[in-house]
Amino acid sequence: MTVPAHTNGPGDIVRQRFAVTYDYAVAFTRDCFHPQNGTLAAVMAAGACPGARCLVFLDMGVMEGRPGLSDAVSAYFHTRADVPALTRAPIPLPGGEGVKNEAHYIGRMHDAIFDAGIDRHSYVLAVGGGAFLDAVGLAASTAHRGVRLIRIPTTVLAQNDSGVGVKTAINRNGAKNQIGTFAPPWAVVNDSAFLDTLPARDRVAGMAEAVKVALIRDGAFFQWLERNADALALFEPAATDWMIRRCAELHMAQIAGGGDPFEQGSARPLDYGHWIAHKLESLTRHHLRHGEAVAIGLALDTRYSVLAGMLPPGAETRVAVLLEHLGFRLWHPILARPAAEVRALALAALEEFREHLGGELTITLLAGIGHGVEVHEMDTALITQALDWLAERETP
């Protein structure tokens, strides 16, 4: 046998390449745990295997608004013969950023999954807001290298954005989404009945993502939001349902057709307005809801796009008026700092945004309503001017 001589070259490289197709259902229904509603049963039946089981995690914040939820879930599984066996009563866990800030909850979920005998042909059901779905998704995607996860988002924000996406995460050391996976769900069930008991503040917060995706992808949808702002601000069901559905469709289209669903590059096109929003969330210790911080970021980056000569003047006013009409405040006192501190904050936020994906800084700005474009640098002087514009709008 001849052994190749040592060289300083790259050696013998064999490149492996394969593609994996992901396919998951996103269903829209009402009262999915009513015994006569077959939506949940149908999405489980799509991959039915003998001996399949189901384990349910419930967001405690949702349970407070719907005291009979745990019993309703148990009754659904015990009443119907066409769903997997429920291994035990639903497990309540904290919702919101609390479940994402404490890594030990992932271990508790892993223990419950293993104790219940959940395998790759069984199901974990997560019922809760976006942060809750993120955490349960991380546990499900890492147990047995991935068990089937069905998400039932209970907030506007989760139903129109994060709940239909492919990411899971928890926070670390105060920084958002530092530990996570890309793991498409088995299915998503958007149940409009959960919005009935949602606090008004959370209903409003979720609409920021609709404005965001309209700004970067669909000018006609933005015009629809303007025309229906009164109905949305009053949470009229027909307008709210259509807004959620269209927003979810646009997010799903970006994931499927944007060319980088697992974010292997440096671009984050669906994160328009988010570079400053994530920083505001952490600086306010999540006093600001995610959507509230995003609304500030949208207004800021739209004004910046105008100042940078990319967007016609007046567009920023349209965006701010719509957001304010929906119920957002486009300012937070933490931004009322000396100019030098604001510049330092902006630079830190941009660097944290870049570090999350690595590579070149890539920020989405606007070249038109419905037309997002990517840039690789931002001028801190223009950021300061944009913040000054927001402060002036805040001043009575």
Side-chain angles (χ1 to χ4, degrees), residues 321-388:
V321 167
L322 172 60
L323 289 167
E324 289 166 343
H325 197 151
L326 293 174
F328 290 102
R329 181 185 179 190
L330 304 180
W331 183 253
H332 191 277
I334 205 163
L335 294 170
R337 298 181 173 194
E341 290 187 24
V342 170
R343 283 194 293 272
L345 182 155
L347 289 171
L350 288 168
E351 178 57 17
E352 289 176 11
F353 194 79
R354 185 200 67 77
E355 284 181 350
H356 189 58
L357 289 189
E360 186 177 21
L361 174 68
T362 304
I363 299 290
T364 300
L365 294 175
L366 296 183
I369 299 295
H371 184 194
V373 295
E374 294 173 359
V375 302
H376 301 292
E377 60 182 6
M378 292 188 77
D379 186 327
T380 53
L382 294 185
I383 293 173
T384 302
Q385 291 178 41
L387 286 168
D388 289 343

Side-chain angles (χ1 to χ4, degrees), residues 33 56-59 62 69 73 125-129 132-133 152 154 194:
F33 291 116
V56 180
F57 293 103
L58 295 183
D59 183 325
V62 178
L69 178 59
V73 173
L125 206 66
V127 184
F132 187 82
L133 301 183
I152 302 184
T154 58
F194 281 106

Side-chain angles (χ1 to χ4, degrees), residues 156-158 160 201-210 243 247 291 328:
V156 174
L157 183 64
N160 67 16
R201 184 181 176 189
D202 291 313
R203 291 195 190 190
V204 171
M207 296 184 199
E209 296 291 350
M243 179 267 295
C247 187
F328 290 102

Side-chain angles (χ1 to χ4, degrees), residues 210-225:
V211 177
K212 174 210 72 178
V213 77
L215 285 172
I216 61 174
R217 288 292 180 266
D218 190 345
F221 182 36
F222 184 83
Q223 293 174 5
W224 182 90
L225 292 170

